[in-house]
Amino acid sequence: MSEATSRDDGPAITLYRLQACPYCERVARALGELGLEYRSRFVEPLHSRRDVVKRVAGVRTVPVIVDHETGVTMAESANIVDYLESTYGDGPPTGSAAADEATAETGGDD
């Protein structure tokens, strides 16, 4: 485990997510591919009940990550994947602009 992915009290990254959310799974898959340890925090399915996400990120949509190592809190799966790649990988994934356009066309993350 690298220094960037560990903390005394657990993984450096927390992923706020929903069960069976494809956007959340996209982020979880990227975390796994990069070999990053993270803590999953499953949130309420109803937007109006996602107070913990609102307190952390200022939004009620998921996925949201909090990277305690770098101090970054971020929403939107395409942005999160790009951030993870550029911070912990070899740079932004090929076709990330296309992924952003596809997200915009579908109305964004849930």
Side-chain angles (χ1 to χ4, degrees):
M1 180 170 15
S2 73
E3 185 176 318
T5 61
S6 64
R7 291 172 22 127
D8 292 339
D9 59 348
I13 297 174
T14 302
L15 170 60
Y16 292 85
R17 63 195 292 195
L18 284 172
Q19 294 276 354
C21 165
Y23 301 109
C24 301
E25 293 304 316
R26 176 182 186 190
V27 173
R29 188 171 41 257
L31 287 161
E33 288 171 357
L34 291 166
L36 298 171
E37 290 188 23
Y38 64 96
R39 173 183 302 125
S40 285
R41 297 276 314 264
F42 288 94
V43 299
E44 292 286 332
L46 294 174
H47 276 109
S48 62
R49 299 251 175 131
R50 295 185 195 158
D51 295 334
V52 68
V53 179
K54 178 73 172 171
R55 280 193 304 274
V56 168
V59 297
R60 284 183 161 49
T61 58
V62 292
V64 165
I65 65 159
V66 178
D67 186 340
H68 303 283
E69 197 67 32
T70 62
V72 168
T73 298
M74 181 177 291
E76 299 289 335
S77 64
N79 295 339
I80 294 170
V81 170
D82 285 349
Y83 163 77
L84 293 171
E85 284 287 335
S86 64
T87 304
Y88 298 105
D90 295 330
T94 304
S96 62
D100 287 342
E101 289 176 14
T103 300
E105 290 175 6
T106 61
D109 297 351
D110 184 359

